[in-house]
Amino acid sequence: MARSQDHRALPAGLLASAEWQEACRSRDFARIFRLVKVKAGIYPSRVAALCGMTPSRVGEIMAGRRGLAHIDVIERVADGLRIPGAMLGLAHRPWEIPAYITEERLPEPLPAVPREPQRTETAEELDDLLALVDGRASRSTLTALRSSVQDYWRRDNAHGGATLRPAVVGHLRYVGRLLDSAEAGLRHDLQGVAAELARLSGWAYFDARQYSTARTYFTQALKLSHAQGDSLFMANVLSCMSLLATYDGNPSDAVALACRAQDAARAAGEQPLVMSMLHLREAFAHAALRDAQACHQAVDRSRAQYERSRGHEAEAPDWVQYFDETKLLVDTGIAYARLGEPARAEPLIAEGLRRENTDQQRGRAFHAYWLASAQLQRGKLDEACTSAGLALDLAAAIDSPRVSGHVQELHRRMLPYVREAPVLAFEQRMREALG
């Protein structure tokens, strides 16, 4: 995806017009893009380049065939077109803050932190030499690598993935070098480890909301599992890419990826626990499209497959073992919350939170956010602020920009109630926790 580029500010007359302000207030991006074209001379291809989108996607939005709902994409449009944050219900954008204010508030300089040196051709050659000194991979090497992957996933769930990225990517490079000299008997297994490390790298970048980089690693994982002939793991990677597309404002792509994942899983024998998880990923995407019928059908298929899996959980691959009855409950609730059915969503997510282990901090923070979101949709302001406070406390204890972004998005959605005591108390806690 193209990266945002700078452009001059929008005309003052456009920003002041009632039509523009109403379009921004309602987040009517079809009208916003048309006004930008007519009043500012910024054509769809330029809008796409400025906002990190494809021209076809901009065209679909202008034609009313597609909308923008995810906060990350809306922020990208605000920054690319220089739309003041307040007009779209966002916080002040960084470029709106005058430079002199930033300069006046600069703290005392801290001691310089040594930076990791730039990787050069010589450094790469040194890595290759060290790999030769390490010798060839053995069965014990595989055991150690798989143990490391399991530990990475445990730490990701407990603390978030942002700080794991350097270690995981470094491990992936190391396995890539081992593959170059591996014996035929180990090469297949090493490819499987490399695919899992590539997926974990993609997940860590996804958790950091660096979606383009995450997509690159997921694609690498998909290619590795395809070369290995592992259709079931391909389904796993495709499910991650479906969730990424949902977050990145591409729900139609997310549906296609989830359905393709189901096809890959069927080709491997249709393991029911895997199919249950994949149908819920499809439900997320349909919910983002506001397709209630398709969402409910996907949820029903997920429940049916989960019932089929009872008593056979041990036969499922390790990477789907996290998907237990508690996860089924809470993910179903999230699908309903995305769909705009908070009365169905709230009890499911609340029950999931009650059952979850306390050491699953990132998952609990994420689920507390969705509980607060459902309660806010229902107008239960006190309960929403209580749940948001739990999400905030957990988010402050882990390193997950994705979860922190959700908490900040929730705060923005509370702006209409900014004078209410529960919201004022939540804002104070937020300032103390996140700064």
Side-chain angles (χ1 to χ4, degrees), residues 70-72 75 209 247 361-362 364-370 372-373 376 384-385 387-398 400-415 426-427 429-431 433-435:
H70 200 277
I71 195 66
D72 288 349
E75 287 177 343
R209 301 204 300 177
Y247 266 78
Q361 294 195 88
R362 203 258 311 276
R364 285 177 57 77
F366 185 61
H367 300 154
Y369 156 77
W370 277 110
S373 179
L376 189 61
C385 288
S387 300
L390 173 60
L392 177 62
D393 292 342
L394 291 165
I398 60 177
S400 174
R402 182 165 60 110
V403 173
S404 298
H406 277 310
V407 173
Q408 290 163 3
E409 178 186 352
L410 189 62
H411 173 240
R412 285 189 285 268
R413 289 168 56 193
M414 290 179 177
L415 288 177
F426 172 69
E427 284 187 331
R429 288 181 65 182
M430 190 169 176
R431 281 192 293 270
L434 300 182

Side-chain angles (χ1 to χ4, degrees), residues 287-303:
L289 287 167
R290 290 294 193 269
D291 188 338
Q293 182 178 5
C295 179
H296 285 295
Q297 288 173 346
V299 166
D300 289 343
R301 288 193 294 269
S302 177
R303 287 174 178 161

